[in-house]
Amino acid sequence: MSSKYKSLKEECYEANMELNALGLVIYTFGNVSAVDRDNAVFAIKPSGVPYETLKPADIVIVDYDNNVVEGNLRPSSDTKTHGYLYKKWENIGGVAHTHAMYSVSWAQAQRDIPIFGTTHADHLTQDIPCAPPMADELIEGNYEHNTGIQILDCFKERNLDYNEVEMILIGNHGPFAWGKNAAKAVYNTKVLETVAQMAYLTLQINPQAPRLKDSLIKKHYERKHGKNAYYGQ
Amino acid sequence: MSSKYKSLKEECYEANMELNALGLVIYTFGNVSAVDRDNAVFAIKPSGVPYETLKPADIVIVDYDNNVVEGNLRPSSDTKTHGYLYKKWENIGGVAHTHAMYSVSWAQAQRDIPIFGTTHADHLTQDIPCAPPMADELIEGNYEHNTGIQILDCFKERNLDYNEVEMILIGNHGPFAWGKNAAKAVYNTKVLETVAQMAYLTLQINPQAPRLKDSLIKKHYERKHGKNAYYGQ
Amino acid sequence: MSSKYKSLKEECYEANMELNALGLVIYTFGNVSAVDRDNAVFAIKPSGVPYETLKPADIVIVDYDNNVVEGNLRPSSDTKTHGYLYKKWENIGGVAHTHAMYSVSWAQAQRDIPIFGTTHADHLTQDIPCAPPMADELIEGNYEHNTGIQILDCFKERNLDYNEVEMILIGNHGPFAWGKNAAKAVYNTKVLETVAQMAYLTLQINPQAPRLKDSLIKKHYERKHGKNAYYGQ
Amino acid sequence: MSSKYKSLKEECYEANMELNALGLVIYTFGNVSAVDRDNAVFAIKPSGVPYETLKPADIVIVDYDNNVVEGNLRPSSDTKTHGYLYKKWENIGGVAHTHAMYSVSWAQAQRDIPIFGTTHADHLTQDIPCAPPMADELIEGNYEHNTGIQILDCFKERNLDYNEVEMILIGNHGPFAWGKNAAKAVYNTKVLETVAQMAYLTLQINPQAPRLKDSLIKKHYERKHGKNAYYGQ
C-alpha cells in the first residue's frame, strides 16, 4: 500500500478499532473519520464492513464534498455528515458516530443529559444537547448532509461553542462526537456514553437530583481546561 | 464425518456458537437451525447439549415434519417450531430461538417493543410484535408445533410480512428470529436484544417517549433495504 | 495429597471455581460444598480464601455436626447452614451460597420472585421464596445453624418440596441453592440469578406484568422434569 | 530504578492497576496512594497517565504537605485530598478515589446508601455517608485540600469513626475509600461499588425496602470484625 494518505488511513483505522474495543459498537453500527487539513480530505470507515475484518487499506479518502479521492469501497453512509462538520468547523480533526446503548437511549427519550456531577464537568460545562428530530422535508431530502446542518443549527440556537462542547445527541438517532483528532473523538464518545449511564442511574435513584452548582462546574472544567489547568502532565 | 449434510451441519454449528459468543445464551438456553431447501431438511442443535462441548457432528438433520434424517442425538425440544416455520415460510434459511435477557423481559411484560429510534428502523419499520400466550388447549396439545401456528397467526392478524419483520416475541417465553440463513437469524437475535435494551432504557428515562416519526422510519429503512439503498458495499 | 476424600475435594474445588467463572462472586463472597453420603461428611471452601489462590488441597472436610475431619484451614463461616441442610435433606448432594447481584437485591427487597416466564418454569413451578429475616434471638444465638432452620421452616410453612424447589432467598442476606451434586447447586445459583434479573426488568417494563399461567407452568416444567420429559439427551 | 521508595512505589502501582482490572475506572478517572509512615511520605499515581502505560517508576512520592519528594511527573490532581487524610487520620495506609458508575450515581443523587443487607453489614454498620457539596468559597479556594476537610467534617458531624467506616461519597463527585494499606483501599472501593449497585436495584424492586435490622447488622459485622470474629483464617 503506497499512498500519500497512508498515515491518515492508519489513524482512522486505529480509531475505528478503538470504538470496537471500548464496547461502543456492535456489528457495523458506528464510524470514525480523521481529517487531513492540508489536503482538504478526510479518511472514513467504509460502509457496512465489520470491525473483525476491517483493514487500514479499506479506509476511504473523500473530500469535504464527499467525492471519493482514494479507495475501492463505498464510504460510510454517514459520510456527508462528517464532511459538513469538517467544512464548517475548521478546528476539528476527527468525528465519531455510534449507536452506543445509553447515548442512544437519551436520544430516543429526546432529552438533554443534565450536568449532574464532576465527571461531566471535567469535560464540558453544559448539559449535553439533544437536537430535535429534523423536519420531514429535510429527512426526505439530502438526509445526511441535513444532519450536519441540524447539528450546527442546534449549536447556534443554544449559543454553544464546538471547541468546548465536543458532543451532541441527535433526537431518535444517537451521538456524534468530535475533537482535535480521531482518537479524541472516540474518547469523547466513551465519555458521553459513561456520563449518559451515570445520569440515567442518578435519575433512577433520585428523580429530583439537582444540577451541579456553578462553582463546581467552573472548578472542575477550569482545573482541566482553563489557562491555569493543573490536571495531566 | 462423511455426510451429504456436512456443510449444512457446519453452518448450523457456527451459528449456534456465535449465539454463545455474542452473550445471547447461558447453558443450553437457545438453538439455531439452518435449512437445505433442495433436500427439504434442516440442521438443528441437539437438545440439552452445552455450547462448550458441542461439535459439528452433533448437529441433527430433520425434515419439515420433524423426522430425524441423520444424527445420533435428540434434536432441540423446539424443533417442531422451527419445522413449522420452514414449511410455511419458504424464503427463510435460518431460525434462532434464545432466552436473551432483555428480549425475554419484554416478552414477560407482554408488550410490543415500540419503534423508538433509527437503530430499530435500520432493521424494520414496525414495532416488534409480542404474540399473546397461547390458549390452554394449544399449550396442552402439540405445544411446539402450536408455537409455530401462534407466530403465523400473529403475523396474519397484524398484517406483517415475514420478509420484512424477521423477529417476534412469544408472550411469557422469549424471542424467535429468522433470516435468509442461520447467521442472519443470529444477527437478528442480537439486533432484537439490543433494541429491546434501548427501548427499556428509553422508557426509564422518559415514560412518554414518542414513537419514531414516519419520515425517519422510512428514510432509515429505505437507505438500507430500499431499491435505492446506499448502505453497505 | 493422599486423602480418601481427594475426589470429593476436587468436586468441591471445581464447583467453587465455576461460581467464580460464572461471575456470581467477587472476592470471597460465596461458598459451595459437596457431600459424601457414605462417609457422612462434606467438603467445603475454607473461610476467606480468595478464588485466585484456592487449591483443591485447601478444601476442608467436616461432618454434619461441623467437626473438621480433614484439613488445615477453617471452613466457611456458613458451614453450619450447609451441615444442617445435609442432615435434614437426605437427597441433596451439593449446596451453594453467594451474594450474587440480582438475587441479593430481591432478598434485600424482601420479595418472592414471581414466576413470570418459561425460563423460570423450565426449572421450578413456584415463585422463588424469600424467607423473612430471623427473629432477634435466633440471630444472636447459633446464627448459621438457625439459618438452616429458617430455610426448612419456610419450606414447611409454604408446603414446598426441596426436591422440586432447589433455591431460596434469605431476606436481607442472599441466595442458597442446592441439587444432586455441587455442580447442580452452582447451576441453580446461576439460574436463580438469571431469573432474578429477568423478573426485575419485567417489572420495570410493566409493573402489572401477570404471573405465568398454570398451563404454561405445567407444560414447561413437565417437558423437562416430568415422567414423559423430552428435553435433553 | 534505585530508590529508597521502590517497594512503596510498587505497592502503589499494583493497587492502581488493580483498580483498572476490577473495572472501577476508565481512562485516568481514578487514583490510589500508599503511605510510608516512617518517612512521612506517600506514593501516588501521576496525573493524567493512562493505566495502559503506567509503570512503577512513574509513581510520585510526596510529603503530607504535597511537596514532591521524588519523581519526574506531576502527582494526581487529587493529591491534596490524600495528603490531608494521611495527616489527620494516622491509622490509614492507603487511599483510593474513582468515578465508578454506581458510587458516582448515588453521589450525584446526593443520597446516603442505606444499609439494606448483610453484604453491606459484613463491612460496616452504618449507611454509607454522602457528604454535601462544599460551600462556594471552599470550592473556589484550595479545592482539593478542602475536599479533605469536607470528609472529616462529615465524619465529625455524624460521629463516625474512620477505622470502622472506610468509605464516603462526596456529593456530585464520587467515592473515596481508605484502609490499612493501598490494596485494602481498593478492596473497599470495590465493595462500595457493589453495595451501591445492590442498593440501587433493591429500591427499584421495592421502594419501601426496610433498612437491615440491628441484630443482623451487629451479627454480620461482629463475626467478621468483632473480638470473637470467626470469618477468615
Side-chain angles (χ1 to χ4, degrees):
Chain A
M1 178 174 66
S2 157
S3 160
K4 66 187 282 195
Y5 302 117
K6 191 177 175 209
S7 70
L8 186 67
K9 287 181 184 180
E10 278 170 359
E11 178 194 351
C12 177
Y13 167 79
E14 294 296 342
N16 274 286
M17 294 310 284
E18 177 75 358
L19 212 59
N20 192 35
L22 289 169
L24 295 165
V25 287
I26 59 165
Y27 296 120
T28 61
F29 299 9
N31 43 75
V32 191
S33 63
V35 82
D36 173 344
R37 290 288 177 189
D38 292 338
N39 290 296
V41 298
F42 62 99
I44 193 162
K45 184 178 171 295
S47 183
V49 175
Y51 291 100
E52 289 70 26
T53 59
L54 188 67
K55 297 184 302 293
D58 296 336
I59 301 296
V60 187
I61 305 294
V62 293
D63 65 23
Y64 300 169
D65 294 318
N66 313 297
N67 301 303
V68 172
V69 172
E70 189 177 296
N72 300 314
L73 297 171
R74 189 189 292 185
S76 165
S77 60
D78 297 306
T79 297
K80 288 180 183 172
T81 312
H82 293 246
Y84 190 82
L85 295 179
Y86 287 125
K87 195 175 221 171
K88 296 293 184 179
W89 288 347
E90 60 188 17
N91 295 340
I92 64 173
V95 174
H97 168 57
T98 71
H99 289 238
M101 184 56 64
Y102 291 90
S103 304
V104 164
S105 298
W106 280 89
Q108 293 190 158
Q110 297 189 1
R111 291 190 58 181
D112 297 347
I113 301 178
I115 182 165
F116 280 136
T118 61
T119 318
H120 188 136
D122 281 338
H123 298 92
L124 69 166
T125 63
Q126 310 289 328
D127 294 352
I128 297 168
C130 180
M134 283 184 271
D136 287 351
E137 59 271 24
L138 297 179
I139 293 168
E140 288 151 13
N142 196 352
Y143 175 63
E144 292 80 7
H145 178 82
N146 293 340
T147 298
I149 293 178
Q150 184 196 23
I151 292 172
L152 264 77
D153 282 353
C154 179
F155 267 60
K156 188 173 177 184
E157 190 181 301
R158 298 180 185 218
N159 201 25
L160 300 175
D161 179 347
Y162 76 86
N163 294 293
E164 292 180 4
V165 176
E166 297 184 320
M167 53 191 75
I168 193 172
L169 301 174
I170 308 294
N172 292 120
H173 188 165
F176 277 85
W178 50 88
K180 66 180 175 184
N181 55 32
K184 187 70 191 309
V186 171
Y187 172 90
N188 284 331
T189 302
K190 179 69 176 179
V191 167
L192 168 50
E193 178 69 1
T194 303
V195 167
Q197 185 176 358
M198 285 173 173
Y200 154 72
L201 291 168
T202 299
L203 286 178
Q204 298 293 308
I205 297 171
N206 182 2
Q208 272 75 47
R211 285 177 89 253
L212 190 62
K213 61 182 187 171
D214 287 343
S215 56
L216 267 173
I217 293 175
K218 191 177 171 200
K219 181 69 192 181
H220 269 264
Y221 190 75
E222 294 290 324
R223 77 174 193 164
K224 208 160 174 177
H225 306 280
K227 68 175 176 228
N228 297 316
Y230 50 92
Y231 184 95
Q233 301 299 325
Chain B
M1 179 174 64
S2 155
S3 160
K4 65 187 283 195
Y5 302 115
K6 191 177 176 209
S7 71
L8 186 67
K9 286 181 183 178
E10 279 170 0
E11 179 194 351
C12 177
Y13 168 78
E14 294 296 342
N16 274 285
M17 294 309 284
E18 177 74 358
L19 213 58
N20 191 36
L22 289 169
L24 295 165
V25 288
I26 60 164
Y27 296 120
T28 61
F29 300 7
N31 43 74
V32 190
S33 63
V35 82
D36 174 343
R37 290 289 177 189
D38 291 338
N39 289 296
V41 297
F42 62 98
I44 193 163
K45 185 179 171 294
S47 183
V49 175
Y51 290 100
E52 289 70 26
T53 58
L54 188 67
K55 297 184 301 294
D58 296 337
I59 301 297
V60 188
I61 305 293
V62 294
D63 66 23
Y64 301 169
D65 294 317
N66 312 298
N67 302 302
V68 173
V69 172
E70 190 177 296
N72 299 315
L73 297 171
R74 190 189 291 184
S76 165
S77 60
D78 296 306
T79 297
K80 287 179 183 172
T81 312
H82 292 245
Y84 189 82
L85 295 179
Y86 286 124
K87 195 176 221 170
K88 295 294 184 179
W89 288 347
E90 59 189 18
N91 294 342
I92 65 174
V95 174
H97 168 58
T98 71
H99 289 236
M101 184 56 64
Y102 291 89
S103 304
V104 163
S105 298
W106 280 90
Q108 292 189 158
Q110 297 189 2
R111 290 189 58 180
D112 298 347
I113 302 177
I115 182 166
F116 279 136
T118 61
T119 319
H120 188 137
D122 281 338
H123 298 91
L124 69 167
T125 63
Q126 310 288 328
D127 294 352
I128 297 168
C130 180
M134 282 185 272
D136 288 352
E137 59 271 27
L138 297 180
I139 292 168
E140 288 151 12
N142 196 353
Y143 175 63
E144 291 82 6
H145 177 82
N146 293 340
T147 298
I149 293 178
Q150 184 196 22
I151 292 171
L152 265 76
D153 282 354
C154 180
F155 267 61
K156 187 173 177 185
E157 191 181 300
R158 298 178 185 220
N159 201 26
L160 299 175
D161 179 346
Y162 75 87
N163 293 293
E164 292 180 3
V165 176
E166 297 185 319
M167 52 191 75
I168 193 172
L169 302 173
I170 309 293
N172 292 120
H173 188 164
F176 277 85
W178 50 88
K180 66 180 174 183
N181 56 33
K184 187 69 192 307
V186 170
Y187 172 90
N188 284 330
T189 301
K190 180 69 175 179
V191 167
L192 168 50
E193 179 68 1
T194 302
V195 167
Q197 186 177 357
M198 286 173 174
Y200 154 71
L201 291 168
T202 300
L203 285 178
Q204 299 292 308
I205 296 169
N206 182 2
Q208 272 75 48
R211 285 178 88 252
L212 189 62
K213 62 182 184 170
D214 288 342
S215 56
L216 266 173
I217 292 176
K218 190 176 171 200
K219 181 69 192 181
H220 268 264
Y221 191 75
E222 294 291 323
R223 78 175 192 165
K224 207 160 176 177
H225 306 281
K227 67 175 177 230
N228 296 316
Y230 51 91
Y231 185 96
Q233 300 301 326
Chain C
M1 178 172 66
S2 155
S3 160
K4 65 187 284 196
Y5 302 116
K6 190 176 176 209
S7 71
L8 185 67
K9 286 181 184 179
E10 279 170 358
E11 180 194 350
C12 177
Y13 168 79
E14 295 295 342
N16 274 285
M17 294 309 284
E18 177 75 358
L19 213 58
N20 192 36
L22 289 169
L24 295 165
V25 288
I26 59 165
Y27 296 120
T28 62
F29 300 7
N31 43 74
V32 191
S33 63
V35 82
D36 173 344
R37 291 289 177 189
D38 292 337
N39 288 297
V41 298
F42 62 98
I44 193 163
K45 185 178 171 295
S47 184
V49 175
Y51 290 100
E52 288 70 25
T53 59
L54 188 67
K55 297 183 301 294
D58 295 337
I59 301 297
V60 188
I61 305 293
V62 294
D63 66 22
Y64 300 168
D65 294 317
N66 312 299
N67 301 301
V68 172
V69 172
E70 190 177 295
N72 299 316
L73 297 171
R74 189 188 292 183
S76 165
S77 59
D78 297 306
T79 297
K80 287 180 183 173
T81 312
H82 292 246
Y84 189 81
L85 295 180
Y86 286 125
K87 195 176 222 171
K88 295 294 184 179
W89 288 347
E90 60 188 17
N91 294 341
I92 64 174
V95 174
H97 169 58
T98 72
H99 288 236
M101 185 54 65
Y102 292 89
S103 303
V104 164
S105 298
W106 280 90
Q108 293 190 159
Q110 297 188 2
R111 289 188 59 181
D112 298 346
I113 302 177
I115 181 165
F116 279 136
T118 60
T119 318
H120 188 138
D122 282 338
H123 297 93
L124 69 166
T125 63
Q126 310 288 328
D127 293 352
I128 297 169
C130 179
M134 282 184 273
D136 287 353
E137 59 271 26
L138 297 179
I139 292 168
E140 289 152 11
N142 195 354
Y143 175 63
E144 291 82 7
H145 177 82
N146 293 340
T147 299
I149 293 178
Q150 185 195 21
I151 292 171
L152 265 76
D153 282 354
C154 180
F155 266 61
K156 187 173 177 184
E157 191 180 300
R158 299 179 185 218
N159 201 26
L160 299 176
D161 180 346
Y162 75 87
N163 294 293
E164 291 180 4
V165 176
E166 297 185 319
M167 54 190 74
I168 192 172
L169 301 173
I170 310 294
N172 292 119
H173 188 166
F176 277 85
W178 49 87
K180 66 181 175 184
N181 55 33
K184 188 69 192 309
V186 171
Y187 172 90
N188 284 330
T189 301
K190 180 70 176 179
V191 166
L192 168 50
E193 179 69 1
T194 303
V195 166
Q197 186 177 358
M198 286 173 174
Y200 155 71
L201 290 168
T202 299
L203 285 177
Q204 298 293 308
I205 297 169
N206 182 1
Q208 272 75 47
R211 286 178 87 253
L212 189 62
K213 61 183 187 171
D214 288 342
S215 56
L216 266 173
I217 293 176
K218 191 177 172 200
K219 182 68 193 182
H220 269 264
Y221 191 74
E222 294 290 325
R223 77 174 192 165
K224 207 160 174 178
H225 305 280
K227 67 175 177 230
N228 296 316
Y230 51 92
Y231 185 96
Q233 300 300 326
Chain D
M1 179 173 65
S2 157
S3 159
K4 65 188 283 195
Y5 302 116
K6 191 177 175 208
S7 70
L8 186 67
K9 287 181 183 178
E10 279 170 359
E11 180 194 351
C12 177
Y13 168 78
E14 294 295 342
N16 274 286
M17 294 309 284
E18 177 75 358
L19 213 58
N20 192 35
L22 289 169
L24 296 165
V25 287
I26 60 165
Y27 296 120
T28 62
F29 299 8
N31 43 74
V32 191
S33 64
V35 82
D36 173 345
R37 290 289 177 188
D38 292 338
N39 290 297
V41 298
F42 62 98
I44 193 163
K45 185 178 171 294
S47 183
V49 175
Y51 291 100
E52 289 70 26
T53 59
L54 188 67
K55 296 183 303 293
D58 295 337
I59 301 296
V60 188
I61 305 293
V62 294
D63 65 23
Y64 300 168
D65 294 316
N66 312 299
N67 301 302
V68 172
V69 172
E70 190 177 296
N72 299 316
L73 298 171
R74 188 189 293 183
S76 165
S77 59
D78 297 306
T79 297
K80 288 180 183 172
T81 312
H82 292 246
Y84 190 82
L85 295 179
Y86 286 125
K87 195 175 223 171
K88 296 293 184 180
W89 288 347
E90 60 187 16
N91 294 340
I92 64 174
V95 174
H97 168 58
T98 71
H99 288 238
M101 184 55 64
Y102 291 90
S103 304
V104 164
S105 298
W106 279 90
Q108 293 191 157
Q110 296 188 2
R111 290 188 58 180
D112 298 346
I113 302 177
I115 181 165
F116 279 136
T118 61
T119 317
H120 188 137
D122 282 338
H123 298 92
L124 69 165
T125 63
Q126 311 288 327
D127 293 353
I128 297 168
C130 179
M134 282 184 272
D136 287 352
E137 58 272 26
L138 297 179
I139 292 168
E140 289 151 12
N142 196 353
Y143 175 62
E144 291 81 7
H145 178 81
N146 293 339
T147 299
I149 293 178
Q150 184 195 23
I151 292 171
L152 264 77
D153 282 354
C154 180
F155 266 61
K156 187 174 178 184
E157 190 180 301
R158 298 180 185 217
N159 201 26
L160 299 175
D161 179 347
Y162 76 87
N163 294 293
E164 292 180 4
V165 176
E166 298 185 320
M167 55 191 73
I168 192 172
L169 302 174
I170 310 294
N172 292 120
H173 188 165
F176 278 85
W178 50 87
K180 66 180 176 185
N181 54 33
K184 187 70 191 308
V186 171
Y187 171 90
N188 284 330
T189 301
K190 179 70 176 179
V191 167
L192 169 49
E193 178 69 0
T194 303
V195 167
Q197 186 177 359
M198 285 174 174
Y200 154 71
L201 291 169
T202 299
L203 286 177
Q204 297 294 308
I205 297 170
N206 182 2
Q208 272 76 47
R211 284 178 89 254
L212 190 62
K213 62 182 186 171
D214 287 344
S215 56
L216 265 172
I217 293 175
K218 191 177 171 199
K219 181 69 193 181
H220 268 265
Y221 190 75
E222 294 291 324
R223 78 173 193 166
K224 207 159 175 178
H225 306 280
K227 68 174 176 230
N228 296 315
Y230 52 91
Y231 185 95
Q233 300 299 325

